[in-house]
Amino acid sequence: MGGAGLAALALLCASVLVGLRDLGYGGSGLWLATWVAARIIVLFSRGCMRQIILDTETTGLDPSQGHRIVEVGCVELINRSPTGRHLHLYLNPDRESDPDALAIHGLTTEFLSKHPHFVDVADEIVEYVRDAEVIIHNAAFDRKFLDAELERAGKPSFSTVCGKITDSLLYARELHPGKRNSLDALCERYGVSNAHRTLHGALLDSELLAEVWLAMTRGQDALAMSFDEDAAGGNGSGAEAFDASCLRVLAAAPEEVLAHKQYLDDLDKAAGKPCVWRTVEPGA
């Protein structure tokens, strides 16, 4: 969030606090509200976290034997929310796929011959992953192919282009030692449907891995995650999409305050003791 946006958010939080004070809320309740407001400002000021979930399909197992990438699929996450800004490319390898590889991805030489070569889209790939954390399942395999292709195209190695490479397979093995940690096994473990996956595809596998990765890495501050995801929104613009200056602060009307008090009285009666709200704000 830029300076103007952060200032607007700070003003919004201050307005809410003044409104609470004017309604007679003070003491521990006002302190708690102040802490939450400060936490919101910190979260929005951190900037966005950009992650790319990446997968490739290839003609074989080893680029040193002349094997090439035939498909690249990427899914973008901003602050752990999918943005819908994917990168999906089919590539002409100028060679046949090994039978075993063809059985996995089903991309025929005839189909691939109509698509660009890696060198023609190298800049697009580099710019897409630049400075991001790139998450790959069995990263060593994809990385050696990407490095080989980038070298042919006269580009820097993959690890020097992106900000960080994270291997989700190694992460899963640490999290679930002694268990199967293939993408299919993780989908089953985390309840991610892969029923439509009859053949491997780079974009499809990236979409599945994105869901699995988010499920595997939920163990973080729930408040921070909630605000980060709200800030990311659904349009891929991240926290910059939040413009607090357009929001109005509306104080509760006297009848609304009275209705709220009656609601708390009913809660006290049903529970047989003061509700949590009254322990935080005794004067409510």
Side-chain angles (χ1 to χ4, degrees):
M1 176 176 287
L6 189 57
L9 182 59
L11 182 60
L12 169 66
C13 293
S15 299
V16 172
L17 294 176
V18 170
L20 288 171
R21 184 200 61 191
D22 291 345
L23 286 172
Y25 291 94
S28 59
L30 188 56
W31 178 90
L32 178 61
T34 303
W35 182 89
V36 171
R39 181 64 172 153
I40 292 172
I41 293 174
V42 169
L43 290 169
F44 273 94
S45 66
R46 291 190 313 186
C48 68
M49 174 178 65
R50 185 168 183 262
Q51 296 170 304
I52 302 298
I53 314 295
L54 181 146
D55 187 50
T56 64
E57 299 297 338
T58 65
T59 62
L61 296 177
D62 194 344
S64 67
Q65 297 177 357
H67 287 293
R68 307 290 299 272
I69 295 176
V70 297
E71 185 184 8
V72 176
C74 301
V75 171
E76 181 185 60
L77 305 177
I78 298 291
N79 293 339
R80 296 179 54 83
S81 288
T83 66
R85 180 176 173 256
H86 302 337
L87 178 67
H88 186 210
L89 301 166
Y90 292 111
L91 303 169
N92 182 356
D94 280 331
R95 61 159 293 157
E96 299 282 337
S97 292
D98 281 355
D100 289 344
L102 182 60
I104 291 174
H105 56 63
L107 302 175
T108 65
T109 304
E110 180 182 4
F111 171 78
L112 294 170
S113 66
K114 304 171 185 176
H115 290 85
H117 296 86
F118 188 95
V119 67
D120 299 322
V121 296
D123 287 335
E124 183 179 1
I125 294 172
V126 166
E127 290 307 313
Y128 185 87
V129 302
R130 187 178 297 280
D131 299 328
E133 177 187 6
V134 181
I135 300 164
I136 310 173
H137 208 62
N138 191 17
F141 178 86
D142 299 81
R143 180 177 174 179
K144 67 183 180 182
F145 271 95
L146 288 163
D147 282 344
E149 295 284 6
L150 289 169
E151 184 179 4
R152 286 191 188 95
K155 304 295 179 183
S157 64
F158 189 72
S159 60
T160 63
V161 171
C162 57
K164 175 184 178 182
I165 298 175
T166 298
D167 191 334
S168 55
L169 177 58
L170 296 182
Y171 185 92
R173 285 174 176 170
E174 292 178 1
L175 201 60
H176 307 291
K179 296 184 178 180
R180 292 176 58 246
N181 289 296
S182 66
L183 182 55
D184 283 336
L186 291 171
C187 284
E188 182 178 358
R189 187 171 301 145
Y190 287 100
V192 176
S193 175
N194 62 348
H196 52 305
R197 187 185 189 229
T198 55
L199 289 172
H200 286 243
L203 182 59
L204 173 59
D205 287 0
S206 292
E207 290 172 334
L208 292 173
L209 181 57
E211 291 189 61
V212 166
W213 179 255
L214 292 174
M216 278 201 303
T217 56
R218 286 293 184 191
Q220 57 179 280
D221 186 328
L223 178 63
M225 183 176 68
S226 175
F227 282 127
D228 284 348
E229 292 183 355
D230 288 346
N235 59 6
S237 57
E240 291 290 348
F242 182 85
D243 181 9
S245 64
C246 67
L247 300 179
R248 296 174 58 199
V249 179
L250 300 177
E255 60 270 20
E256 292 172 328
V257 174
L258 184 61
H260 175 65
K261 185 178 183 304
Q262 181 61 52
Y263 179 74
L264 294 183
D265 290 341
D266 292 341
L267 283 180
D268 291 348
K269 184 177 179 180
K273 60 181 180 180
C275 62
V276 174
W277 185 283
R278 294 201 195 276
T279 65
V280 175
E281 183 56 64

